[in-house]
Amino acid sequence: MIHESDAGSLSIAVVGMAVRFPGARDVTAFWDNLTAGVESVTEFSQEELILAGVDPNTARDPNYVARAAVLEQFDLFDAELFGLRDREAELLDPQHRLFLECAWSALEDAGYAPGRSSHNVGVFAGCSLSTYLLNNLGGTLDRTGADFNLAKLIANDKDYLATRLAYLLDLRGPAVTVQTACSTSLVAVHQANQSLLNYECDMALAGGVTLRCPQRVGYLHQGGSMLSPDGHCRAFDARAAGTIPGSGVGVVVLKRLEDALRDRDFIHAVIKGSAVNNDGSSKIGFTAPNVDGQASVIRAAQAVSAVPCDTIGYIEAHGTGTGLGDPIEIEAIGRAFAGTRRERPWCAIGSVKSNFGHLESAAGIASFVKAVLAVRHGQIPP
């Protein structure tokens, strides 16, 4: 139960959510999978791989891992709902299509009619590189600059993700496409928070999407890579050896808590504070994490939120299941909590990547929605 007294000046309410993750077409199915400990990863046959364009010799390689976390029916799109012509829909990156539909569903979940909200609505989101352009449309691009090159590029450019949604749903707040690699959708949530707190908008959509085209392909495992040699992601496990690629999309609707209480919105959870930083060059390599940087941003978020360490019972971590990243993340969490007296004898740590691998630009929103659901249900999933 949330009361008026909880509505601090920095608190943000999560009033709507929508997802499409491997094995889950909505939030309910996602939670069911989490609580049941389902690994939503698909194993492909030789025939499926060859049909998807994998070289037969590669598919038969003993180091080829024929597993990935896929989205079913990703090729279906209600173009008419958004007023798009068939030709526009055909050119449009499926990542953009999925994000449009998910944003629509998130607004409906929040109780607001898409395209008819009286609120000043912002959009903060990001997507991955358009493999649809690379693998499906690339051969149709005219190198002379003629043909439909401009239309194809606009339909597949990362930069237009947020503004396309704002245009199609007539959203007048900030429309910002965020690109920070794996942290994209979490940074989008943070920026949406800041925009709300600065009164740049009264409601905000935040999220991210990644879709690999083609989907039903695996990968050739190489020693020392971040990808798992057997197609399982075992985060924070002694057997951890890497992650797996996956596709997914998630969008949340955010409002200032005081406004959500006033408007009698259904509140899934409350964001008390957030923080963002960067490691700079103080790490062993460009793709490696840094203990000090991670500990610092955790402490900053705690300071902003004024949430005492001893009240925290669960941390949803990045947890890629790699021998390098996981121990560093655990050490960073330990440093952030060092010196604090805890009334709780334990604090659980988990990672949704064990369920369906790394969703790249959608990885953060998957973790965020999982954490929101854990709070809402009062249950820590396995």
Side-chain angles (χ1 to χ4, degrees):
M1 181 69 69
I2 298 170
H3 301 283
E4 293 284 351
S5 59
D6 297 318
S9 60
L10 297 179
S11 295
I12 299 296
V14 181
V15 299
M17 300 190 296
V19 304
R20 281 186 62 183
F21 292 141
R25 286 189 56 83
D26 54 37
V27 170
T28 300
F30 178 44
W31 179 248
D32 288 343
N33 286 346
L34 290 175
T35 54
V38 174
E39 184 192 44
S40 301
V41 179
T42 302
E43 185 158 0
F44 312 117
S45 66
Q46 291 279 314
E47 292 75 15
E48 286 179 300
L49 294 172
I50 293 170
L51 185 63
V54 178
D55 181 86
N57 292 325
T58 300
R60 287 190 290 267
D61 190 306
N63 291 318
Y64 189 85
V65 182
R67 290 171 62 86
V70 303
L71 281 182
E72 299 297 336
Q73 299 182 328
F74 75 94
D75 53 334
L76 304 183
F77 177 58
D78 191 350
E80 187 177 350
L81 181 66
F82 298 95
L84 294 174
R85 297 186 299 272
D86 289 347
R87 178 58 174 166
E88 291 177 294
E90 288 172 2
L91 296 180
L92 191 59
D93 182 354
Q95 294 184 118
H96 291 225
R97 302 179 209 166
L98 287 168
F99 186 77
L100 289 172
E101 291 185 330
C102 203
W104 183 287
S105 297
L107 284 170
E108 286 188 327
D109 181 67
Y112 294 95
R116 296 199 298 273
S117 175
S118 60
H119 291 77
N120 183 27
V121 183
V123 183
F124 301 84
C127 63
S128 296
L129 179 71
S130 177
T131 50
Y132 181 68
L133 176 65
L134 289 175
N135 297 323
N136 292 66
L137 299 180
T140 69
L141 289 175
D142 186 341
R143 296 184 183 277
T144 66
D147 192 33
F148 292 100
N149 280 10
L150 182 59
K152 292 172 184 175
L153 294 175
I154 289 177
N156 287 270
D157 195 318
K158 290 181 176 184
D159 290 352
Y160 299 111
L161 180 68
T163 49
R164 175 168 284 109
L165 176 65
Y167 171 70
L168 293 175
L169 296 189
D170 192 27
L171 308 179
R172 305 299 179 92
V176 181
T177 298
V178 182
Q179 297 298 340
T180 60
C182 306
S183 63
T184 289
S185 49
L186 274 184
V187 173
V189 170
H190 172 77
Q191 291 194 336
N193 289 352
Q194 297 305 305
S195 186
L196 287 164
L197 295 173
N198 291 329
Y199 287 82
E200 296 170 343
C201 57
D202 299 316
M203 189 159 68
L205 292 158
V209 56
T210 288
L211 181 74
R212 302 163 66 242
C213 292
Q215 273 207 106
R216 307 187 78 80
V217 297
Y219 54 89
L220 194 61
H221 177 260
Q222 297 176 318
S225 77
M226 67 173 289
L227 294 175
S228 166
D230 62 3
H232 297 280
C233 180
R234 302 178 177 88
F236 306 119
D237 190 292
R239 298 170 297 162
T243 191
I244 53 177
S247 298
V249 55
V251 180
V252 294
V253 182
L254 308 176
K255 290 177 70 174
R256 290 179 290 272
L257 178 56
E258 56 189 355
D259 294 349
L261 290 169
R262 179 200 65 210
D263 297 339
R264 299 181 181 276
D265 294 314
F266 181 86
I267 298 172
H268 297 273
V270 175
I271 302 171
K272 302 295 291 182
S274 62
V276 170
N277 74 353
N278 188 271
D279 291 329
S281 61
S282 58
K283 50 187 180 181
I284 62 173
F286 178 61
T287 59
N290 174 270
V291 173
D292 292 333
Q294 291 196 18
S296 175
V297 79
I298 293 171
R299 285 193 291 262
Q302 289 175 339
V304 170
S305 64
V307 173
C309 287
D310 63 356
T311 67
I312 297 174
Y314 179 68
I315 296 173
E316 173 65 20
H318 186 58
T320 54
T322 59
L324 173 65
D326 285 10
I328 288 177
E329 190 166 14
I330 289 293
E331 184 178 348
I333 293 170
R335 286 193 191 180
F337 282 73
T340 61
R341 298 182 62 183
R342 292 185 55 80
E343 295 181 7
R344 291 175 181 265
W346 53 269
C347 179
I349 298 173
S351 170
V352 75
K353 291 179 182 63
S354 293
N355 297 87
F356 45 52
H358 199 325
L359 305 190
E360 299 180 30
S361 293
I365 201 66
S367 297
F368 180 82
V369 172
K370 177 188 170 185
V372 167
L373 291 171
V375 169
R376 193 177 99 185
H377 292 281
Q379 178 182 351
I380 297 173

